[in-house]
Amino acid sequence: MGIKNLHRLFRPKSVAVIGGSQKPGSFGAVVMRNLIDGGFNGDIYPINPRHSDIMGYKSFSGVDKIPPGVDLGIAVTQIAKLPRIVEECAASGMAGLIIISAGGKETGVKGRDIEAAIQKAAAGSELRIIGPNCMGLINTRSLLNASVSQQMPIAGKTAFISQSGAICASILDLSIAGRIGFSHVVSLGSMLDVNFGDIIDYLGSDPYVSSIVMYIECLTHFRSFMSAARAVSRVKPIVALKAGRTQAGAVAAASHTGAVTGVDVIYDAAFKRAGIVRVRTFEELFDCSGLLAKQPQPAGSGLAIITNAGGPGVMAVDMLQDYGQQPAVLSQETLQQLDEILPPFWSRSNPVDILGDATPERYVKAVDICMNAAEVSGVLILFSPLNIDAATSIAEALCSRLREKQKSVVTSWAGGDSVDAARRIFNHAGIPTFDTPERAVRAFMNLYRYARNIELLQEIPPKFHRRLDFNRENARKQVQSQIQAQQYTLSEITSKALLADYGIPVNPTVLAISADDAVIKAEEIGYPLVMKIASNDISHKSDISGVHLNIRNASEIRQHFQDMITNIASLRPNARISGVTLQPMLTQPHHELLIGAHTDPDFGPVLVFGAGGVLTEALQDHAFALPPINRHLARICIYETRISKVLQGFRNLPAVSLELLEEILMRVSQLVVDIEHIESLDINPLLMGDTWASAVDARILLKISPAPSPLHLVISPYPNQLENMVQREGCGELLIRPIRPEDAPLLQALYEALSPRSVYMRFFTPMRSFQHNMLVRFTQIDYDREIALVAIQESEGHETMLGVSRIIMDVTPDQGEFAVLVSDACQGKGIGAELLGQCLMIAKERGIQTVMGIVLSENTQMLALGKKLGFKIATMPGSSEYELTINLKDLRSSDIVKACGRK
């Protein structure tokens, strides 16, 4: 259901409190008091005890049943009574229900059965449910405290989401002391219905929310979560604490909310791909909440450190280095300005040590200079109580000066009771303050990590000089044949054949079933060569002397064959042995790498890259990534490993072609995208030379996937099935295909060739240039959320984009908005009709019911196109613009064919 009805749930005009007890201190009484004392000015209905024991609140008289059209219900009765209550809520047209009651799946089988009954009762309705086993929600802008927490936070623009009600209560308590404002506080509990993805989507569309902070024990609906987070994190920072990082923590989380946690490194990879900053401790989570609520985001890592003592400054620098950063390098101009206002013995570097006798005036002047320095992205102000009497006066002077700050400012007043008054001054002024320099640096760097990660994700990936082709049909036939034969562990030879179908370079390998057979095939291959035991039951062949290298003649072939068969029979008597495999011995200088994939039960296929060979497990030098990936994401994955430095050339080892390595990673990614039945894939080692690579060992395990490709992925891949060719008079044959991230230069060229009038017709404003963030927004799309097709003209290997059309899904999943852009030279040739027509048919297949768009009255060509495609055209009240709307239920493919002029 997406975020449908969440608007009414979070901004209700009426609330029904259902069940509970009228006794003071009970959940029912607490919820009633919180609604009233919080200032909620809508209608409140306590529901009388026809199916529960209570209700009421002094001046309120209860009603017998839920009135029709109530926006929000809050259930505080015993959970066993809820299925019947939920039926009544759904029948009344209620938008949302918060279930405070515990006793669901966290209690075991009985609780899971009750939750299933609640889901069944809500099925077929539009009722959204938060909980059970939750604290409720708070919306400060609506003065809504629909929770059991009696504390209402001060209003702010940061939203806090948590599965744990206790964590919500703790954050609320700390936020009041630290003067940290929140827009929303949401406790999701067991997430029977509304989940993290839904809430991120909703908060992403709320203009009064600028950042999101989350405490997560487990996730559900992983694909929708990734889709929502990837969309929202580009415009609003998202910070998450994922609990259950250790095995013991995972067990504790399971007993708490019935959570099932995944492998922690995969969560790291997923959060990074989604643009989420992951923190490790509750302290970090709270510190990030404070910084997000009070400060602008840092534009860079350049931190100026101003201190009245050397030691704290050194501690801050050490913490920066833990994050791989250095303090900002101050320019000569900045140093000269500081020389003019500081004593002659100041440090003349960053940290800026303004000495122990620093006065409020000296602090303010030094901060002013650093804040105005172009090389500085943020300022950390440190104070050590060398002069205790100055702690408060310095804080007051700084707060007065920093009210209109444009850069991030964090402070650390070290000490105990003597500096508490100064900390309170900072908190009331909205300036984050921390008890140690390390905490201050960590909070600053966590926000910088967000900005840097988004910057990396939004880099435009380069294109390969050639098209990457794959033999999908043959690969799928091979896999289906193995599954039909119930051969789920592929032999090395079959595994390599599958890799070869996807263009992954492999070392040719043959099977020999006897010593004589091995000699004959060795002569065909040529010496030197490698012999390996052929058995699907043995994964690590070298552990049991199942690999012999550099065999140079027939005599050695016979000897090694006999020794290997005898040795394996002794060490692994139950292993099924098919014979041995033979392959050429690669003697050129090379690196040993690992490239693989594993299917996680939650996140689907996960790619792994790192150091390979027999020391793979010992070195533990691996990076993980979620497919699909492009060249840019492949390079990020490579650079996250330690071995990446060696790959640039080390001693006698050559520097490798990173472009070739990126290509191999992309080809492996495409293989697991297309073939959903691959449970695991292991290329170890992949030998990598300067300009060559070869998979010398490979192992693939199959498992029948419950979901077809691409639904087994959590990130929607490029939909290659939508590619098609059309003919257009005056343009020749055109490729119609979905837009790709690599298309940014083509889109830029299309825009630059447009007339000012065409730009104005499309964007409703005379834009002078196409900014980088717009290029990223229009080319790096989520194929689950947006349909964008381009028309490409190809000539002698050169591509030209002639037009683009898109339909963007609305917050309501059955509605979308369209846009069309065609180059001036190609307008009137049916390209816009073709692109928009195909987009409409795709939208209909995806269940979108209505598509609309706004068109300027002078855009006669677009109005004519809309009429031809069957849009209803209506003037907008009080405007010269037109609204075009089409109901896709009535749209037929024949209508599109006719409108596009196709035969």
Side-chain angles (χ1 to χ4, degrees):
M1 286 191 285
I3 64 172
K4 197 169 185 178
N5 269 353
L6 289 189
H7 294 280
R8 284 176 62 197
L9 189 158
F10 276 94
R11 297 199 291 266
K13 295 180 181 177
S14 54
V15 178
V17 183
I18 309 163
S21 169
Q22 206 170 7
K23 296 178 181 178
S26 68
F27 278 167
V30 168
V31 169
M32 288 291 296
R33 179 175 291 279
N34 290 344
L35 286 168
I36 297 161
D37 293 351
F40 178 69
N41 58 8
D43 296 324
I44 303 175
Y45 300 99
I47 308 304
N48 265 339
R50 192 160 61 96
H51 47 63
S52 53
D53 352 341
I54 67 76
M55 282 316 305
Y57 181 85
K58 291 187 179 177
S59 60
F60 286 81
S61 58
V63 294
D64 290 333
K65 64 184 221 176
I66 300 166
V70 170
D71 294 317
L72 173 64
I74 307 171
V76 289
T77 190
Q78 296 174 9
I79 196 168
K81 299 178 181 179
L82 279 169
R84 187 154 52 111
I85 293 173
V86 169
E87 281 185 10
E88 291 187 28
C89 292
S92 73
M94 184 179 287
L97 176 67
I98 299 171
I99 301 178
I100 305 291
S101 318
K105 63 184 178 184
E106 74 277 5
T107 64
V109 175
K110 184 178 179 180
R112 284 195 291 271
D113 290 343
I114 292 173
E115 288 196 10
I118 293 171
Q119 283 182 312
K120 184 178 179 180
S125 73
E126 294 186 348
L127 178 70
R128 302 307 311 270
I129 297 173
I130 291 180
N133 191 20
C134 74
M135 188 188 79
L137 71 86
I138 297 172
N139 181 348
T140 55
R141 190 164 183 270
S142 297
L143 300 178
L144 173 70
N145 185 352
S147 78
V148 294
S149 171
Q150 298 180 51
Q151 300 194 82
M152 188 77 166
I154 63 174
K157 300 194 75 173
T158 296
F160 182 73
I161 318 169
S162 171
Q163 273 176 282
S164 166
I167 296 294
C168 277
S170 301
I171 284 283
L172 278 171
D173 196 43
L174 289 167
S175 72
I176 291 169
R179 301 287 297 173
I180 297 171
F182 287 109
S183 62
H184 302 76
V185 177
V186 186
S187 168
L188 291 176
S190 298
M191 297 192 298
L192 176 71
D193 172 29
V194 175
N195 54 65
F196 280 101
D198 292 330
I199 299 294
I200 291 171
D201 255 336
Y202 171 76
L203 296 173
S205 66
D206 189 333
Y208 298 99
V209 174
S210 61
S211 55
I212 300 170
V213 179
M214 305 186 295
Y215 170 79
I216 300 171
E217 290 178 357
C218 73
L219 290 174
T220 59
H221 303 85
F222 290 81
R223 184 158 171 152
S224 63
F225 169 82
M226 290 295 294
S227 180
R230 290 175 67 217
V232 173
S233 68
R234 291 171 181 257
V235 292
K236 300 179 182 183
I238 303 177
V239 177
L241 169 61
K242 168 63 178 71
R245 291 188 295 113
T246 63
Q247 185 174 357
V251 172
S255 62
H256 179 209
T257 57
V260 179
T261 56
V263 179
D264 198 57
V265 292
I266 298 175
Y267 273 92
D268 275 342
F271 285 5
K272 191 174 296 183
R273 181 71 176 272
I276 297 171
V277 174
R278 185 178 185 185
V279 297
R280 301 285 170 170
T281 65
F282 180 80
E283 183 181 76
E284 275 188 272
L285 188 73
F286 180 73
D287 291 348
C288 279
S289 301
L291 207 54
L292 285 167
K294 298 177 179 179
Q295 293 292 297
Q297 297 171 35
S301 62
L303 186 65
I305 303 166
I306 299 172
T307 178
N308 68 340
V314 173
M315 293 162 64
V317 171
D318 285 345
M319 192 66 177
L320 271 177
Q321 289 184 333
D322 286 346
Y323 283 92
Q325 301 294 330
Q326 298 288 336
V329 178
L330 302 181
S331 67
Q332 280 301 120
E333 180 183 359
T334 302
L335 292 173
Q336 288 172 5
Q337 291 176 4
L338 290 169
D339 277 336
E340 294 173 5
I341 61 104
L342 294 179
F345 301 111
W346 79 280
S347 60
R348 296 209 85 256
S349 64
N350 188 11
V352 179
D353 188 346
I354 61 176
L355 305 182
D357 62 349
T359 62
E361 291 176 319
R362 192 186 298 171
Y363 260 101
V364 168
K365 288 179 179 179
V367 169
D368 274 345
I369 292 169
C370 291
M371 289 288 284
N372 292 323
E375 66 272 21
V376 172
S377 303
V379 177
L380 168 60
I381 309 171
L382 304 177
F383 175 84
S384 292
L386 303 173
N387 181 2
I388 293 176
D389 294 338
T392 303
S393 58
I394 291 171
E396 289 172 340
L398 288 170
C399 289
S400 176
R401 193 69 168 196
L402 294 172
R403 291 189 194 282
E404 301 300 324
K405 54 191 176 298
Q406 299 299 316
K407 295 180 179 178
S408 296
V409 177
V410 289
T411 67
S412 175
W413 255 229
D417 294 343
S418 62
V419 296
D420 274 348
R423 291 175 182 151
R424 286 194 295 271
I425 290 168
F426 283 127
N427 282 328
H428 279 275
I431 297 173
T433 187
F434 303 94
D435 54 4
T436 67
E438 291 92 341
R439 278 184 70 182
V441 170
R442 184 180 63 194
F444 176 86
M445 288 308 302
N446 277 333
L447 290 198
Y448 168 71
R449 278 170 53 209
Y450 159 76
R452 178 57 181 154
N453 191 34
I454 294 299
E455 181 184 333
L456 286 173
L457 290 174
Q458 293 186 351
E459 283 190 14
I460 296 169
K463 296 181 72 171
F464 282 112
H465 300 303
R466 65 189 182 284
R467 181 183 175 90
L468 299 186
D469 293 317
F470 313 100
N471 194 343
R472 292 183 172 92
E473 184 178 352
N474 192 58
R476 188 161 283 278
K477 283 181 180 177
Q478 284 195 69
V479 169
Q480 290 298 339
S481 174
Q482 294 289 319
I483 290 175
Q484 288 171 6
Q486 296 186 342
Q487 296 292 327
Y488 298 107
T489 300
L490 304 191
S491 68
E492 179 184 356
I493 293 173
T494 306
S495 297
K496 285 183 174 179
L498 199 57
L499 297 178
D501 281 337
Y502 273 72
I504 298 161
V506 300
N507 202 17
T509 304
V510 298
L511 175 69
I513 59 174
S514 67
D516 290 339
D517 189 27
V519 170
I520 293 170
K521 289 177 177 173
E523 295 295 335
E524 294 172 355
I525 296 171
Y527 297 101
L529 50 75
V530 176
M531 177 187 292
K532 292 188 283 188
I533 193 69
S535 172
N536 289 346
D537 298 325
I538 301 173
S539 299
H540 302 290
K541 303 176 182 69
S542 57
D543 290 354
I544 53 173
S545 301
V547 179
H548 288 294
L549 306 176
N550 206 26
I551 301 175
R552 296 187 172 275
N553 53 55
S555 176
E556 291 183 13
I557 286 279
R558 293 183 184 280
Q559 183 64 49
H560 286 311
F561 183 95
Q562 189 58 49
D563 291 346
M564 187 177 290
I565 296 296
T566 303
N567 188 50
I568 300 300
S570 172
L571 294 175
R572 297 287 296 274
N574 296 323
R576 293 164 295 177
I577 299 173
S578 305
V580 300
T581 62
L582 302 173
Q583 59 184 289
M585 176 78 183
L586 302 178
T587 57
Q588 307 100 306
H590 59 259
H591 303 269
E592 291 192 354
L593 304 176
L594 162 73
I595 293 179
H598 173 74
T599 297
D600 179 77
D602 297 328
F603 288 99
V606 181
L607 302 174
V608 58
F609 168 79
V614 296
L615 296 179
T616 295
E617 287 84 359
L619 294 175
Q620 288 294 306
D621 179 23
H622 304 135
F624 299 86
L626 299 183
I629 62 172
N630 54 38
R631 279 189 68 184
H632 176 60
L633 294 173
R635 184 158 294 200
I636 289 176
C637 186
I638 294 167
Y639 281 154
E640 285 179 349
T641 62
R642 298 189 301 276
I643 200 171
S644 63
K645 296 177 182 177
V646 180
L647 297 179
Q648 299 170 47
F650 184 76
R651 294 185 178 174
N652 67 319
L653 295 175
V656 307
S657 167
L658 286 179
E659 182 174 337
L660 175 58
L661 185 52
E662 291 161 6
E663 178 183 332
I664 294 171
L665 279 167
M666 286 179 63
R667 290 182 179 276
V668 172
S669 169
Q670 192 62 50
L671 175 57
V672 297
V673 165
D674 291 341
I675 309 296
E676 68 272 27
H677 304 303
I678 293 178
E679 175 71 7
S680 69
L681 180 156
D682 191 26
I683 303 173
N684 185 24
L686 174 80
L687 301 190
M688 193 88 195
D690 49 1
T691 59
W692 62 273
S694 182
V696 299
D697 200 2
R699 180 180 174 87
I700 294 176
L701 302 180
L702 303 178
K703 182 179 180 181
I704 297 176
S705 170
S709 174
L711 298 181
H712 67 305
L713 304 167
V714 292
I715 298 175
S716 182
Y718 174 82
N720 55 72
Q721 73 277 8
L722 299 180
E723 293 183 353
N724 62 95
M725 306 298 294
V726 299
Q727 286 282 345
R728 279 286 160 258
E729 187 176 346
C731 300
E733 190 174 52
L734 302 178
L735 171 62
I736 307 296
R737 63 164 173 79
I739 202 164
R740 295 187 180 116
E742 296 88 346
D743 286 333
L746 298 181
L747 183 59
Q748 178 77 47
L750 170 62
Y751 173 82
E752 291 174 351
L754 293 173
S755 66
R757 182 182 185 279
S758 293
V759 172
Y760 186 75
M761 292 298 103
R762 166 62 180 88
F763 297 103
F764 293 24
T765 183
M767 294 193 311
R768 294 183 178 180
S769 62
F770 216 41
Q771 299 297 324
H772 173 81
N773 62 337
M774 291 186 67
L775 276 176
V776 170
R777 163 66 190 85
F778 289 138
T779 57
Q780 297 185 17
I781 69 169
D782 183 336
Y783 297 111
D784 278 345
R785 291 173 172 254
E786 192 169 338
I787 303 161
L789 298 178
V790 295
I792 301 294
Q793 186 180 58
E794 297 177 317
S795 176
E796 298 179 356
H798 176 74
E799 291 185 332
T800 303
M801 187 181 291
L802 303 184
V804 57
S805 177
R806 66 185 71 235
I807 294 176
I808 302 171
M809 274 61 124
D810 196 3
V811 291
T812 303
D814 57 359
Q815 297 178 2
E817 183 175 354
F818 77 86
V820 183
L821 180 65
V822 178
S823 70
D824 287 32
C826 296
Q827 291 177 10
K829 297 183 178 179
I831 293 176
E834 187 69 57
L835 289 169
L836 181 54
Q838 291 198 30
C839 283
L840 290 172
M841 292 308 300
I842 297 167
K844 181 178 181 178
E845 291 173 4
R846 294 188 181 182
I848 297 175
Q849 297 177 12
T850 307
V851 174
M852 59 78 63
I854 307 299
V855 178
L856 295 172
S857 58
E858 56 266 45
N859 193 350
T860 53
Q861 288 176 300
M862 188 64 239
L863 292 171
L865 172 59
K867 186 175 181 180
K868 184 163 66 169
L869 289 171
F871 281 85
K872 293 181 180 179
I873 302 174
T875 55
M876 298 182 67
S879 170
S880 61
E881 298 167 354
Y882 288 91
E883 182 177 81
L884 276 62
T885 307
I886 188 168
N887 188 333
L888 297 185
K889 289 182 180 178
D890 305 325
L891 185 69
R892 296 174 300 180
S893 58
S894 58
D895 299 331
I896 298 298
V897 170
K898 183 178 178 181
C900 296
R902 282 189 257 141
K903 296 180 181 179

